[in-house]
Amino acid sequence: MSLLSFRGVSVRYGSHTVLKDVSLDVAGGEVVGLVGESGSGKSTLARAAVGLAPVTTGEILLDGRPVPNRGRARPVQMVFQDPYSSLDPRMTVGESIAEAMRERLGKEARRAEIARLLALVHLDASRADDLPVRLSGGQRQRVALARALAARPEVILADEITSALDVSVQGAVLNLVRDMRRELGLSMLFISHNLAVVRYVADHVAVLYAGEIVEYGPTARVLGAPQHDYTRHLLAALPGAVRRTSSGNGRPAPTSALKEQT
Amino acid sequence: MRAARVLLRPVGFAGFGLLTVVLLVAVFGPVLWDGRATVIDTGDLLAGPSGEHWIGTDNLGRDLFFRVLVATRLSITLALAATAIGMVLGVVLGAAPMLTGRRVARFITSAVNVLVAFPGLLLVLFFAVVFGVGARGAALAVGLAGAPAFARLCHTLLSGVSERDYIAAARIAGVSKFRILVRHALPNIAEPLIVNATMAAGGVLLTFSGLSFLGLGVQAPSYDWGKLMQDGLNGIYVHPLAALGPGIAVVLAGLAFNLTGEAFAAAFGIDVIPGVARVRAVRGAAGESAGPAVAAPDPEPGTVLSVDGLRVTIPGARRPIHAVRGVTFAIRDGEAVGVVGESGSGKSVTALAVARLIEEPVRVDANHLVFAGEDLMAADDPASLRKRLGTSLVVVFQDPMTSFNPAHRVGPQLAEVGRFHQGLGRRAAFARAVDRLHAVKLREPERRARQYPFEFSGGMRQRAMIGMGLMGTPRLIIADEPTTALDVTVQRQVLALLGEVRGDTGAALLLISHDVSVVTEVCDRVLVMYAGLIVEELPARDLGTLARHPYTRALVAAVPDMETDLTRPLAVIPGTPVDPSDVPAGCAFAARCPLADDHCRAVEPPLQADAAGNRVACHKAGWPLPADSAEVTV
Ligand SMILES: Nc1ncnc2c1ncn2[C@@H]1O[C@H](COP(=O)(O)OP(=O)(O)O)[C@@H](O)[C@H]1O
Ligand code: SF4
Ligand SMILES: [Mg+2]
């Protein structure tokens, strides 16, 4: 079980400070939600962990050692928001996944491994030969997850992975995230601006505001009894969630039955 | 498939045809006509055009027409060789910054920029002198001189591709820089690169002929078109065709490359939605400047938009795509109507069709389409219709970045609407633009008006877009996923702003969203679309509780909210949406519906209204859903 630890991380671009002294731990097997408005630095924090953003001060450690950003072994993997930009349009699904594998495998072994990874994300093995154009947004996002898993990561950074998806698909991807976490014991930093989504998948929540973490705690506590004004503000901004209680007019609550599904 | 599209354009057809002829002559010319081009006719030196020698003879009495044909091979070969040299060098220089350290990269990029700024011809002459007179030296010179432009193009294209997440993903996976370049970056810029090389080949041909003409290129006894022109120059006043003949060949061949390249460029750059005009921001719909030009069947008084039997058909590669298959609805003055449904259900296409933003070859049919008393289906070219419609119909798109012209400052883009539709002067229009930016609560509107779209955040762009809509007095605002790309707080502000705007102007709103909760909060009524049809219409406040269509109920259930049961998997809608080019018989939702039976699969349920005016298209509307539907994943 691995611990991803941000210690006093600051990221500065020129004179513009994007992250200020951020400290955050993602414990082994745990999902930490990261919420905050766009521009608050959520993606930068994730990108810094995989070497895509320059860390000005502070350090990012995996089990006490700096996260490796060289060589083939990359225990921290990232999944991106836009499934239409995150797969090379000219590579088949199988090629994309194989590229992320740690060791070179023989043809047969590779095929089997691709099939195993596709099965993990509930895709048929025959999809390996498809180009991304043949896939829907939700399917692409599954492939992106499979590619991340191909590197046998200890931590996955999921950056708004459901924001570009239809609600009908979002649910399936979120279920998948919960399955994977349960079955593979993955740790995850789950970034989203959707509080209901974070509430559903995360054990702990960190609230980022203007590059600083203003609140952190167990999900139920942070979203149920927020301490910081900004967190309260975020909660108040939720679209007046449809109150889906079976209203007293005798009709069946339409959702109850469908919820049994899956 | 794309190649076929190239040939279908007149430009492509002409260019491709011409290029084929030129290449055939290049390949077979010397084989077929070398004899006739070299035979010396001492009785006919420096003759003018005649029946025997169409464009005359040279100083040895050789037939010039055949010499031009035979020269095609050398001219084209040299041009292609020079282009290839330029391209290979350009790609190496352009790609090097991706592989080297930051310092070296910066040095290469600046060097390339300096060279690009250098006059091309000077560069060619300089290199020609360095490499010495002759065909090989000239090819190197022309190629080298062309390299900087290719390098810059390559660099620009690569920078664009490098931003894509799949490159980042490859880096995170530990793929080497070189492999990323070769496997991901280069293949994805190959198309534009080759298209540009094709067009450049035309220019290279011209430059090369110039060199030969100056005596720096091909040397006797070899000859290319430039050399022939040089030879013909002496007699230009007596026998102009001797010099013009090879000149015409140069022009034709150059044109062949250019037109072909251009046709390919047009085909590759084709819009994602063919036929949907890439119109900017806000486009008008009904008559401010001019009154209603066409008397329209006035539906009901107080109705701002009335749509009856709207169908949109997109010509597809194999089969036509029926994106909208007969949609009927109306919006009353000041009303807010939401449209929900999965992507691909036809929401956006409906909105674009209503705003008349769809052009050929996409077909829009409707029994009627009336906006503010004006018949939008009346034959009319969309441009003049839009002008007449003025600013009373406003469209706000999901991503305002694509709706603003990135090359212009924001203020003037707003002002343009005022000048175009309201006949305001430059100053008045700009003042109004600033005022409108203020109205949508942008801080420091004067300063903002002078900034470019990319200097705005997503939320600010969306406000500016709405501000653009407020240059006039809208009667209907069509907003297609206006908040999807924004986060909760900004989303909230934009929705509040739309609300305020409606309060101030009394405009109606057609809000398209896949977010059921947003629609519930903002709208009075909701249309639910599936597979290009409206399957249910009901008051927004009843969406969560009183929806009767299984699809609507599934959509609502799929959205997690702050009360969702954490111990269970989230509800999902099994299966995938219908392929709009292959809609099944019967109910389109049957394959995913827990209530479907044979009757559903055979007979399409009609959209039926009840006494309250709510509509639903389902044979089993309101039936309880089975509790134990099979386990499914999308
Ligand atoms: N240019 C196009 N080429 C092919 N199909 C298209 C094109 N534009 C739209 N469509 C199809 O039309 C249908 C409706 O699309 P759209 O209106 O964008 O749906 P929505 O807005 O509900 O997501 C979809 O199936 C989509 O694939
Ligand atoms: S008509 Fe039948 S298949 Fe279609 S939604 Fe209603 S019950 Fe389901
Ligand atoms: Mg859409």
Side-chain angles (χ1 to χ4, degrees):
Chain A
M1 291 278 150
S2 308
L3 173 76
L4 179 69
S5 175
F6 297 84
R7 303 252 174 96
V9 171
S10 296
V11 172
R12 216 171 299 147
Y13 290 106
S15 61
H16 182 49
T17 305
V18 181
L19 287 178
K20 275 176 237 151
D21 194 20
V22 171
S23 294
L24 180 69
D25 283 347
V26 181
E30 186 194 50
V31 177
V32 174
L34 184 62
V35 300
E37 61 194 14
S38 68
S40 59
K42 304 188 296 291
S43 297
T44 307
L45 189 65
R47 297 174 77 89
V50 287
L52 292 176
V55 177
T56 314
T57 54
E59 49 187 0
I60 305 171
L61 306 175
L62 184 67
D63 293 330
R65 273 187 294 272
V67 176
N69 280 325
R70 282 178 193 286
R72 286 302 292 185
R74 301 294 182 97
V76 178
Q77 286 293 315
M78 181 156 169
V79 182
F80 297 86
Q81 168 169 2
D82 181 3
Y84 291 89
S85 157
S86 64
L87 296 178
D88 188 333
R90 280 163 208 274
M91 273 196 185
T92 64
V93 164
E95 286 169 336
S96 280
I97 294 176
E99 194 179 58
M101 291 178 188
R102 257 187 213 192
E103 58 279 316
R104 295 201 169 281
L105 298 175
K107 207 168 173 199
E108 276 315 305
R110 191 171 59 196
R111 180 170 289 275
E113 175 69 357
I114 292 171
R116 184 186 73 87
L117 290 162
L118 285 175
L120 276 180
V121 295
H122 305 317
L123 280 176
D124 198 82
S126 65
R127 284 293 181 187
D129 300 321
D130 280 348
L131 284 175
V133 276
R134 304 272 311 270
L135 306 184
S136 70
Q139 289 169 330
R140 285 170 194 235
Q141 206 58 297
R142 289 158 188 275
V143 174
L145 268 169
R147 175 179 56 194
L149 293 175
R152 299 190 181 266
E154 289 157 44
V155 182
I156 287 191
L157 313 170
D159 189 2
E160 299 272 12
I161 57 171
T162 61
S163 309
L165 304 177
D166 260 323
V167 283
S168 55
V169 181
Q170 169 182 292
V173 172
L174 292 176
N175 287 340
L176 178 62
V177 165
R178 296 224 317 190
D179 291 352
M180 283 183 358
R181 180 265 184 99
R182 194 175 48 236
E183 285 156 23
L184 308 176
L186 280 175
S187 326
M188 195 179 274
L189 181 67
F190 189 93
I191 299 175
S192 176
H193 64 252
N194 185 329
L195 296 181
V197 164
V198 168
R199 171 178 171 276
Y200 189 71
V201 295
D203 310 296
H204 284 80
V205 178
V207 182
L208 197 61
Y209 177 65
E212 288 180 272
I213 290 188
V214 294
E215 183 154 9
Y216 172 84
T219 307
R221 211 271 297 136
V222 173
L223 300 183
Q227 305 293 303
H228 194 275
D229 277 348
Y230 179 69
T231 315
R232 282 195 276 268
H233 174 68
L234 272 183
L235 283 162
L238 281 176
V242 196
R243 298 279 169 254
R244 281 185 262 118
T245 45
S246 24
S247 51
N249 56 11
R251 275 176 199 278
T255 63
S256 54
L258 267 162
K259 279 221 174 111
E260 316 289 324
Q261 288 191 23
T262 38
Chain B
M1 236 174 62
R2 272 179 174 169
R5 227 184 297 159
V6 172
L7 283 176
L8 288 179
R9 298 157 180 263
V11 176
F13 190 77
F16 220 71
L18 208 54
L19 192 62
T20 313
V21 172
V22 170
L23 291 180
L24 282 178
V25 173
V27 173
F28 296 109
V31 185
L32 292 176
W33 304 302
D34 195 41
R36 301 181 69 173
T38 46
V39 75
I40 298 177
D41 183 354
T42 40
D44 222 355
L45 302 181
L46 288 174
S50 65
E52 200 180 340
H53 306 294
W54 291 355
I55 58 171
T57 60
D58 67 1
N59 54 1
L60 290 177
R62 293 174 292 200
D63 184 285
L64 278 176
F65 178 71
F66 287 107
R67 286 180 79 73
V68 169
L69 289 184
V70 171
T72 308
R73 182 186 283 182
L74 188 59
S75 308
I76 299 291
T77 312
L78 287 174
L80 290 182
T83 310
I85 292 172
M87 189 164 133
V88 168
L89 217 65
V91 169
V92 169
L93 280 179
M98 266 188 85
L99 301 178
T100 61
R102 201 169 298 172
R103 281 242 192 97
V104 181
R106 203 170 306 152
F107 173 77
I108 295 177
T109 319
S110 341
V112 164
N113 283 340
V114 169
L115 285 176
V116 169
F118 219 70
L121 206 57
L122 273 183
L123 221 52
V124 173
L125 290 177
F126 171 74
F127 284 129
V129 171
V130 170
F131 291 120
V133 166
R136 186 180 308 172
L140 278 172
V142 176
L144 240 57
F150 269 119
R152 178 138 88 176
L153 175 73
C154 183
H155 184 68
T156 313
L157 291 171
L158 282 176
S159 317
V161 170
S162 308
E163 310 263 290
R164 313 236 86 195
D165 289 337
Y166 57 80
I167 302 267
R171 280 173 62 185
I172 296 173
V175 178
S176 72
K177 280 179 178 179
F178 184 74
R179 200 183 134 86
I180 288 181
L181 178 71
V182 174
R183 286 288 277 153
H184 295 285
L186 288 180
N188 281 296
I189 66 165
E191 279 176 13
L193 217 53
I194 288 168
V195 166
N196 271 284
T198 312
M199 297 212 275
V204 165
L205 183 74
L206 205 67
T207 313
F208 215 104
S209 304
L211 277 188
S212 292
F213 179 76
L214 291 177
L216 294 170
V218 174
Q219 302 297 315
S222 305
Y223 56 100
D224 68 345
W225 290 329
K227 180 86 176 80
L228 289 178
M229 284 196 285
Q230 188 199 22
D231 295 344
L233 188 67
N234 296 332
I236 187 104
Y237 293 110
V238 196
H239 301 307
L241 268 185
L244 284 184
I248 290 169
V250 171
V251 170
L252 281 181
L255 214 61
F257 282 114
N258 254 309
L259 290 182
T260 308
E262 234 163 74
F264 271 106
F268 288 140
I270 211 151
D271 271 342
V272 218
I273 302 186
V276 173
R278 278 228 151 199
V279 258
R280 273 188 292 127
V282 179
R283 282 282 124 105
E288 273 202 339
S289 30
V294 195
D298 203 3
E300 267 180 52
T303 302
V304 62
L305 176 73
S306 165
V307 178
D308 185 6
L310 178 73
R311 304 178 149 270
V312 182
T313 313
I314 304 162
R318 269 158 293 152
R319 283 169 298 209
I321 298 162
H322 302 284
V324 177
R325 303 187 292 136
V327 156
T328 301
F329 66 95
I331 301 178
R332 288 186 287 278
D333 279 324
E335 192 184 22
V337 173
V339 185
V340 298
E342 287 162 284
S343 62
S345 57
K347 308 184 299 290
S348 301
V349 173
T350 301
L352 289 170
V354 165
R356 295 305 270 142
L357 289 178
I358 295 188
E359 291 170 358
E360 292 289 319
V362 178
R363 272 233 335 267
V364 177
D365 300 302
N367 300 336
H368 77 242
L369 183 56
V370 180
F371 172 73
E374 177 145 13
D375 184 358
L376 298 186
M377 289 305 288
D380 217 341
D381 72 299
S384 86
L385 178 71
R386 263 180 236 131
K387 165 111 193 171
R388 241 196 11 261
L389 293 175
T391 48
S392 50
L393 195 157
V394 163
V395 185
V396 181
F397 292 111
Q398 171 172 359
D399 178 10
M401 194 60 204
T402 55
S403 333
F404 276 114
N405 183 337
H408 294 286
R409 294 169 206 272
V410 171
Q413 293 197 51
L414 265 71
E416 195 188 291
V417 177
R419 297 181 57 185
F420 183 69
H421 287 297
Q422 296 154 318
L424 296 178
R426 186 182 292 269
R427 269 163 180 271
F430 191 79
R432 171 116 182 120
V434 171
D435 178 66
R436 297 293 81 188
L437 289 178
H438 182 72
V440 294
K441 307 210 170 72
L442 274 183
R443 262 172 277 163
E444 305 180 74
E446 283 93 5
R447 188 170 71 82
R448 289 294 178 191
R450 287 176 218 286
Q451 287 184 330
Y452 288 94
F454 66 82
E455 294 176 76
F456 281 40
S457 72
M460 280 159 49
R461 276 198 294 269
Q462 205 55 287
R463 282 154 189 278
M465 175 79 38
I466 296 170
M468 188 184 275
L470 294 181
M471 288 299 288
T473 334
R475 293 197 53 191
L476 174 64
I477 301 170
I478 297 180
D480 187 359
E481 308 266 8
T483 57
T484 306
L486 309 174
D487 57 67
V488 251
T489 38
V490 187
Q491 181 175 326
R492 149 107 344 195
Q493 291 160 3
V494 169
L495 290 176
L497 178 63
L498 277 175
E500 270 175 52
V501 165
R502 289 181 50 231
D504 295 345
T505 60
L509 174 69
L510 183 65
L511 177 70
I512 295 169
S513 178
H514 67 251
D515 191 334
V516 176
S517 51
V518 166
V519 167
T520 316
E521 176 164 302
V522 175
C523 297
D524 306 316
R525 245 176 341 124
V526 183
L527 307 172
V528 183
M529 284 191 72
Y530 188 75
L533 292 177
I534 294 178
V535 296
E536 183 158 20
E537 171 178 358
L538 75 172
R541 62 172 181 284
D542 295 342
L543 192 59
T545 46
L546 298 182
R548 287 180 293 159
H549 198 286
Y551 179 62
T552 314
R553 290 147 79 182
L555 263 189
V556 171
V559 188
D561 61 22
M562 299 307 275
E563 272 109 51
T564 301
D565 185 351
L566 295 178
T567 59
R568 293 169 164 283
L570 284 173
V572 298
I573 307 178
T576 50
V578 167
D579 173 358
S581 67
D582 189 16
V583 183
C587 175
F589 188 59
R592 307 170 75 186
C593 179
L595 296 178
D597 59 17
D598 287 344
H599 181 56
C600 297
R601 282 182 278 269
V603 182
E604 182 165 8
L607 184 61
Q608 280 172 324
D610 66 10
N614 297 342
R615 299 185 290 171
V616 63
C618 171
H619 295 307
K620 301 180 174 181
W623 282 34
L625 299 169
D628 55 346
S629 313
E631 182 145 316
V632 271
T633 40
V634 178

